[in-house]
Amino acid sequence: PHVELLTPRASRKQALGLRNLHGQLFLMDLGSAHGTYLGREKLKPMEPKEWRPGAVAYFADKSVEVFEFRPTRLSTKVQTAT
């Protein structure tokens, strides 16, 4: 799904979030003009970087909004026939 960023400095195609088969989340800058940041690190364009739980990301301007990766675990109980 698309996420609307509030900062006017964000590009129309700013970044992409990716999840692999192991459940790891990655963030990749799509060559944006003002950059995508994971923590204090500016991401290199088109190079996915793992977004670990608790890490903060921002897009172009951290004074407007930041995003924190906080996964939740959904409990799925398997019922057995008795």
Side-chain angles (χ1 to χ4, degrees):
H2 293 240
V3 175
E4 183 178 346
L5 300 173
L6 297 178
T7 178
R9 296 183 68 194
S11 300
R12 289 185 68 178
K13 292 185 178 180
Q14 179 75 34
L16 183 63
L18 307 158
R19 187 178 299 274
N20 68 14
L21 295 174
H22 303 289
Q24 295 169 292
L25 184 63
F26 293 83
L27 189 59
M28 181 172 70
D29 181 80
L30 296 176
S32 64
H34 298 289
T36 299
Y37 295 79
L38 195 50
R40 296 180 181 177
E41 179 184 353
K42 183 176 182 179
L43 300 183
K44 295 177 184 175
M46 309 309 284
E47 290 186 22
K49 178 81 174 183
E50 186 175 2
W51 191 355
R52 295 180 181 266
V56 173
Y58 65 94
F59 307 93
D61 184 358
K62 70 178 177 181
S63 69
V64 177
E65 60 189 352
V66 295
F67 297 84
E68 180 181 0
F69 175 36
R70 284 192 273 168
T72 58
R73 295 192 184 261
L74 300 177
S75 176
T76 56
K77 293 184 179 183
V78 177
Q79 294 181 340
T80 57
T82 53

